[in-house]
Amino acid sequence: MFEAQAICSPTRLQLPIFTRNCISRPRIGFVARISNPNELMCQTHSCSFLSPPEDIRTQTRFTFNASSSSVGSAEYIEEPATKVRFQISLSLPGCSSSLSLLGTGYREKVFAIIGVKVYAAGLYVNQSILNSLNAWIGRSAAEIEEDSSLFSTIFQSPLEKSLQIVLVRDVDGKTFWDALNDAISPRIKSPTPVDESALSTFRSIFQGQPLKKGTFIFLTWPDPSKMLVCISADGLPSSVDAAIESENVASALFDVFFGDTPVCPSLKSSIVNGLESVLK
């Protein structure tokens, strides 16, 4: 998208580590403030119908290579190339629970060999999605990145995932849509009437709308057959702007960012590095 040559500058996220002895038990992480602004403490415990005994509680430290800070009660990490800050967790319209940040990256367009950053991006997921990735336990980042089935598993999960795009320069809405459409169209070989209707709805959101620097665009997949679009020029969105009811379109757009030839390689690399730490 934007015919860019993206430079990989991933933000590595090290999330709470699931041990082999309790892989089948979901884990809940609680972020607690500590004195070092670059380090967070995550207190985790295994969940069951009974209260867990004290001896199975653990404390796992994780750090972000990008700087972290707090504003009010919200915690952030910074995408280093663009200096855009992403909340570690957030709640979005159309999602049944809060989502956790899995990785960040940025998109760059090249004009006459000069790179111009267009937006920063972060992927948020329902943390329970990690429970479906046991097949990749112990694999290196290189092995995870080469295996396209991992991102397919994430997409096919019936749990929510959302891509946040933060513009770092003004972009005309039509230009933004044209770039998206150029990336989506080759991935839908024979669009059905349902696909055409969904693309028309998607296009109408951006046509004639100026997208200013700092605008948030959220592309949220509640399940593989549907995508929600939210655009906000003033913080997190409070409502859904459009629902895209086409599995082909939803899948194609996910593949644009997380397929074999992603338009934002730094984002995918950041996620892969984070998953390598989680899936040890």
Side-chain angles (χ1 to χ4, degrees):
M1 186 164 57
F2 293 103
E3 300 178 355
Q5 297 176 5
I7 299 173
C8 260
S9 178
T11 302
R12 180 166 180 160
L13 304 182
Q14 294 180 317
L15 301 176
I17 297 172
F18 298 83
T19 63
R20 292 179 184 275
N21 292 333
C22 59
I23 289 170
S24 61
R25 299 178 180 177
R27 307 289 292 276
I28 298 177
F30 302 93
V31 175
R33 298 177 185 278
I34 60 176
S35 58
N36 183 347
N38 290 318
E39 186 173 59
L40 299 174
M41 177 73 75
C42 183
Q43 298 175 325
T44 64
H45 66 269
S46 298
C47 299
S48 67
F49 291 107
L50 301 175
S51 297
E54 283 296 321
D55 62 353
I56 68 171
R57 293 183 179 229
T58 62
Q59 288 186 332
T60 304
R61 288 182 182 271
F62 62 96
T63 60
F64 301 103
N65 289 344
S67 62
S68 64
S69 62
S70 62
V71 177
S73 61
E75 299 285 350
Y76 299 82
I77 70 162
E78 184 178 87
E79 196 288 306
T82 59
K83 307 302 182 184
V84 171
R85 296 191 307 168
F86 290 85
Q87 289 185 207
I88 291 174
S89 64
L90 49 72
S91 297
L92 293 172
C95 292
S96 60
S97 62
S98 63
L99 306 181
S100 299
L101 182 64
L102 198 56
T104 66
Y106 67 97
R107 185 64 172 148
E108 185 175 71
K109 182 176 180 179
V110 177
F111 295 96
I113 77 171
I114 298 175
V116 177
K117 295 175 181 64
V118 180
Y119 59 77
L123 179 66
Y124 290 84
V125 299
N126 184 312
Q127 218 168 3
S128 295
I129 285 179
L130 299 179
N131 295 332
S132 66
L133 304 181
N134 293 341
W136 289 270
I137 289 176
R139 295 195 189 183
S140 68
E143 290 173 322
I144 293 173
E145 189 154 16
E146 289 173 1
D147 188 351
S148 60
S149 62
L150 180 139
F151 282 93
S152 177
T153 298
I154 292 175
F155 175 72
Q156 292 298 329
S157 170
L159 299 168
E160 300 98 341
K161 42 267 170 190
S162 183
L163 178 70
Q164 180 183 8
I165 293 172
V166 183
L167 297 179
V168 296
R169 62 188 301 106
D170 294 351
V171 179
D172 177 71
K174 181 180 183 302
T175 300
F176 190 85
W177 164 253
D178 287 344
L180 275 180
N181 191 48
D182 288 345
I184 294 171
S185 295
R187 290 171 164 85
I188 306 177
K189 301 300 183 183
S190 301
T192 67
V194 171
D195 300 334
E196 295 286 3
S197 177
L199 288 169
S200 178
T201 299
F202 202 2
R203 179 174 58 251
S204 67
I205 302 170
F206 295 101
Q207 295 284 25
Q209 180 171 183
L211 302 173
K212 300 296 185 181
K213 178 180 178 180
T215 296
F216 289 180
I217 301 171
F218 283 93
L219 307 174
T220 303
W221 295 267
D223 61 62
S225 65
K226 186 176 182 180
M227 185 177 69
L228 308 178
V229 183
C230 305
I231 302 175
S232 174
D234 185 24
L236 293 176
S238 58
S239 61
V240 173
D241 290 299
I244 309 301
E245 306 276 358
S246 164
E247 185 166 357
N248 286 336
V249 174
S251 174
L253 192 59
F254 193 86
D255 188 73
V256 165
F257 288 92
F258 307 110
D260 294 335
T261 56
V263 297
C264 189
S266 60
L267 172 60
K268 186 175 179 180
S269 293
S270 171
I271 295 167
V272 165
N273 287 332
L275 287 174
E276 179 189 32
S277 297
V278 173
L279 300 173
K280 284 182 178 177

